[in-house]
Amino acid sequence: MNKPREKWYRQNGAEGDVVISTRVRLARNLTGVPFPASMNPEQKQSVVEAVCAALQPVEETFQLADMGKLSPRDALSLVERHLISPEFARSGAGSALLLTEDEGTALMVNEEDHLRLQVMRPGLDLDGAYEQADRLDTVLDETLHFAFDQRLGYLTQCPTNLGTGMRASLMLHLPALQERGAIQQLAVTVSKLGLTIRGMYGEGTKPQGAIYQLSNQVTLGISEREAIDNLKGIAAQIIREERAGREQWKQNPHFEDMVWRSLGLLRTARLLTGDEFMALMSNLRVGVAMGVIPGIPLETAGALINDVQPATLMAAAGRDMEPAERDALRARIVRERLA
């Protein structure tokens, strides 16, 4: 009997003190088929079936989820785990998600484009994530024949994705830069370099727990490798600045007190709102990363951040809950994991 594969977010990767995760996503469309916004139900179902058939040669096993049959609770849980977009959660019948057991590879079928292929890895692993996405892209293209123009590159419904159709992003934990008030200036700086920095769930979202998403904006007139290398270079600078800020905290006795107080609250609280949990977990995570708190691995923090989001709590329980009940369940899970 095969052992279940560990979820990717329960692992810690390179530069894991600052870089929580890596994601590479490719937008693709089938030649000669209308974009999803113009498709009828039969055409959408045909695309879903074609993608499933094209996956047959792939070694990994994908589970199929019909978005029209998922409850709003379960769909929102997928958003919280960064597996689908908020728009895709509302897509309904005719759209489907194909997902590996470790949740490291996901395919959204009939989102804004026919296919959104994404690979997620723990820590900083842009090369590994891109190579995996590129391999799968190549296999699928052999059967699906993606729409491509020699001048414009891969054709997408939104012009901002023309070219490579690739969005590479890093989830960064930046408490020191946030406290220093440096995020706004950082956003201005990286925008001049073809990148953007946003909240935890991407465009239009606010940061939670000092977690930010850094991603490329330019897809036209640049190769995938150039985009990856650019993102890696800027990320290296941000990592250095964040670590320098954390080193300064070591001289402040209030920092160690804040970290230990946060652990104390997480280990004893009977009610934890989502915002309170994220703020306390941010403090604890940086304390663990800096060696202030021994005995708690960073993987524990990563798993908790994924597991105690509102819809994910309810999805695991199999029922809807009022906020107070979720807060009590969140607090209990956190106490047990950090005991």
Side-chain angles (χ1 to χ4, degrees), residues 63-81:
Q63 297 297 318
L64 175 69
D66 184 336
M67 297 305 296
K69 296 179 181 179
L70 283 186
S71 68
R73 173 191 65 222
D74 290 341
L76 186 53
S77 173
L78 294 171
V79 175
E80 291 175 347
R81 282 142 55 204

Side-chain angles (χ1 to χ4, degrees), residues 8-174:
W8 74 266
Y9 55 80
R10 299 185 188 279
Q11 305 168 45
N12 186 44
E15 317 292 356
D17 58 324
V18 177
V19 185
I20 297 173
S21 64
T22 297
R23 179 177 70 181
V24 171
R25 188 176 69 192
L26 303 176
R28 298 290 186 260
N29 287 283
L30 279 59
T31 301
V33 182
F35 288 127
S38 303
M39 292 167 68
N40 59 41
E42 290 75 22
Q43 288 172 317
K44 288 186 175 182
Q45 182 59 35
S46 177
V47 170
V48 172
E49 292 173 358
V51 173
C52 290
L55 284 171
Q56 292 304 312
V58 178
E59 290 185 7
E60 290 185 284
T61 300
F62 287 81
Q63 297 297 318
L64 175 69
D66 184 336
M67 297 305 296
K69 296 179 181 179
L70 283 186
S71 68
R73 173 191 65 222
D74 290 341
L76 186 53
S77 173
L78 294 171
V79 175
E80 291 175 347
R81 282 142 55 204
H82 304 281
L83 296 172
I84 64 173
S85 64
E87 294 77 18
F88 194 66
R90 300 187 291 268
S91 60
S95 298
L97 173 70
L98 289 151
L99 185 65
T100 55
E101 185 180 16
D102 66 353
E103 300 186 2
T105 305
L107 284 76
M108 289 181 278
V109 185
N110 294 328
E111 195 225 31
E112 183 178 70
D113 296 292
H114 293 142
L115 190 63
R116 288 287 177 91
L117 186 168
Q118 77 170 26
V119 174
M120 298 191 72
R121 295 284 183 87
L124 178 59
D125 190 12
L126 283 163
D127 291 330
Y130 171 69
E131 288 167 8
Q132 170 66 11
D134 187 50
R135 282 195 297 269
L136 186 54
D137 180 42
T138 300
V139 171
L140 293 174
D141 190 25
E142 290 175 357
T143 302
L144 299 175
H145 309 298
F146 295 136
F148 184 84
D149 180 87
Q150 290 297 328
R151 183 172 61 89
L152 297 174
Y154 288 101
L155 303 181
T156 56
Q157 180 161 297
C158 181
T160 59
N161 290 322
L162 284 171
T164 63
M166 184 188 77
R167 299 285 181 179
S169 62
L170 300 173
M171 201 70 72
L172 306 173
H173 186 213
L174 305 175

Side-chain angles (χ1 to χ4, degrees), residues 44 84 93 158 173 219 226 259 261 265 306 318:
K44 288 186 175 182
I84 64 173
C158 181
H173 186 213
T219 60
E226 288 171 325
V259 169
R261 281 176 182 267
L265 283 170
N306 275 273

Side-chain angles (χ1 to χ4, degrees), residues 63 80 106-107 115-116 213 216 222 270 273 308 313:
Q63 297 297 318
E80 291 175 347
L107 284 76
L115 190 63
R116 288 287 177 91
Q213 190 178 123
N216 70 298
I222 186 173
R270 264 47 189 174
T273 66
V308 302
L313 280 174

